[in-house]
Amino acid sequence: MKPLFRFFFAICVMTGLTLPALAAEPDPNPDRLKVALLPDENASELIKRNQPLKDYLESTLGKEVELIVTTDYSSMIEAMRFGRIDLAYFGPLSYVMAKSKSEIEPFAAMVVDGKPTYRSIIIANVDSGVESYADIEGMKMAYGDHTSTSSHLIPKTVLLESAGLEAGEDYEAHFVGSHDAVAVNVANGNADAGGLSEVIFEHVMDRGLIDRSQVRVLGYSGEYPQYPWAMRSNLDPALKQQIQGAFISIDDEEILSNLKAEGFAAITDSDYDVIREMGSLLGLDFAEM
């Protein structure tokens, strides 16, 4: 018996653990599913608002469901990586990052305006003097989370491709944590411009979080694949099929409204290759982010 193995064997004997227990795999068919929501808004509000989703999944899947909101995208990626959550609602970029580090697979993306794609929007404070992308040069640009697609990766790519502006060199990039925080910071003049999801911008407007007259829309990005739901690849195949079917079958207006969706469509990993291509353009290493 090798010394290192003898050391671990001795620990097992003293603590009453077995060797398999030290390397236990996540349960492929757990009685309770841990479901992580996208951490782009206030955590308590997200959990409260998605109680109907929890109730629907419990009745449809016949399992307990625990809704989880991690502190940020990176925490959610790590939780999925180590099997501490079973399902997660990712942004496209955070999904690609998580996929590079863990065995997961996307199974459904939300449908808005009849399609499983969406756009980012770039806005400016009306008093900033910013009226075009080019005017952002030398200004303060607000992004959400570092690992956000529509509030970082896409608007940063738009500024680079459309105006030749590079973050850190041609303008100041400030990360404020969430999409709604981007809108609030721009409206309040703490940032001259900012990038966020078009859907969330409209949601912020509808909720009256900012004065619409204080922001100017500079433009929109192209269409990109919508936010995916992903699951652990080592879940039981029958359970995975059941989960995908449950999401694609959601027709409850309250649940869909809370998720800012009209419905859900099946999605595959290859649909997110366009996100990988944007990352290459910006010189990003997803596995190291």
Side-chain angles (χ1 to χ4, degrees), residues 214-233:
Q214 294 302 305
V215 297
R216 171 184 294 118
V217 175
L218 299 181
Y220 301 86
S221 73
E223 298 282 346
Y224 291 93
Q226 268 287 5
Y227 290 37
W229 278 94
M231 67 180 97
R232 288 195 284 118
S233 294

Side-chain angles (χ1 to χ4, degrees), residues 34 38 44 54 72-74 91 94 106 120 130 138-139 143 173 239 252 255 265 275:
K34 295 182 178 180
L38 196 70
S44 59
K54 176 179 184 293
D72 54 26
Y73 290 84
S74 297
S94 56
S120 283
V130 175
M139 298 291 193
Y143 293 121
L239 176 59
D252 184 285
I255 295 174
I275 304 300

Side-chain angles (χ1 to χ4, degrees), residues 12-284:
C12 292
V13 172
M14 289 186 291
T15 60
L17 293 175
T18 64
L19 286 174
L22 288 174
E25 289 291 327
D27 189 345
N29 196 9
D31 293 328
R32 170 180 289 191
L33 288 172
K34 295 182 178 180
V35 179
L37 300 170
L38 196 70
D40 58 0
E41 296 180 68
N42 178 271
S44 59
E45 172 65 20
L46 279 172
I47 290 178
K48 178 181 178 182
R49 200 163 71 229
N50 285 283
Q51 182 66 35
L53 172 66
K54 176 179 184 293
D55 294 340
Y56 167 77
L57 291 177
E58 287 184 333
S59 63
T60 304
L61 301 176
K63 293 181 179 293
E64 290 183 46
V65 169
E66 178 184 356
L67 296 182
I68 297 169
V69 179
T70 58
T71 54
D72 54 26
Y73 290 84
S74 297
S75 300
M76 185 163 70
I77 291 169
E78 288 304 296
M80 180 63 93
R81 177 184 178 187
F82 292 106
R84 294 194 292 268
I85 53 179
D86 304 300
L87 313 179
Y89 198 18
F90 285 103
L93 173 57
S94 56
Y95 161 71
V96 170
M97 291 171 60
K99 178 68 174 176
S100 71
K101 301 177 181 181
S102 38
E103 293 298 321
I104 61 173
E105 54 198 65
F107 62 87
M110 68 178 182
V111 173
V112 178
D113 293 332
K115 57 187 185 299
T117 57
Y118 76 119
R119 303 187 296 181
S120 283
I121 185 172
I122 296 181
I123 60 175
N125 181 278
V126 295
D127 298 321
S128 67
V130 175
E131 298 185 2
S132 69
Y133 295 155
D135 293 335
I136 293 174
E137 185 172 7
M139 298 291 193
K140 294 180 180 179
M141 177 76 180
Y143 293 121
D145 189 284
H146 283 81
T147 56
S148 171
T149 315
S150 53
S151 190
H152 179 207
L153 183 65
I154 293 175
K156 180 181 279 187
T157 302
V158 168
L159 292 182
L160 180 62
E161 292 187 324
S162 300
L165 298 180
E166 189 168 342
E169 292 189 10
D170 300 310
Y171 62 88
E172 295 180 26
H174 297 270
F175 293 90
V176 296
S178 64
H179 294 251
D180 47 358
V182 169
V184 169
N185 274 274
V186 172
N188 291 345
N190 296 325
D192 300 300
L196 69 159
S197 162
E198 178 186 11
V199 171
I200 296 180
F201 176 69
E202 293 301 330
H203 186 59
V204 167
M205 295 291 100
D206 293 342
R207 290 165 59 195
L209 292 183
I210 66 173
D211 183 345
R212 185 182 290 267
S213 68
Q214 294 302 305
V215 297
R216 171 184 294 118
V217 175
L218 299 181
Y220 301 86
S221 73
E223 298 282 346
Y224 291 93
Q226 268 287 5
Y227 290 37
W229 278 94
M231 67 180 97
R232 288 195 284 118
S233 294
N234 56 5
L235 286 175
D236 181 85
L239 176 59
K240 289 196 289 187
Q241 188 172 28
Q242 190 180 10
I243 289 170
Q244 183 181 45
F247 274 86
I248 292 175
S249 299
I250 294 176
D251 58 7
D252 184 285
E253 290 298 327
E254 183 179 14
I255 295 174
L256 293 173
S257 175
N258 290 338
L259 292 170
K260 308 181 188 71
E262 295 173 357
F264 287 91
I267 203 99
T268 65
D269 178 70
S270 63
D271 290 303
Y272 295 90
D273 286 345
V274 63
I275 304 300
R276 297 180 175 100
E277 291 166 8
M278 278 197 295
S280 297
L281 175 68
L282 296 174
L284 303 179

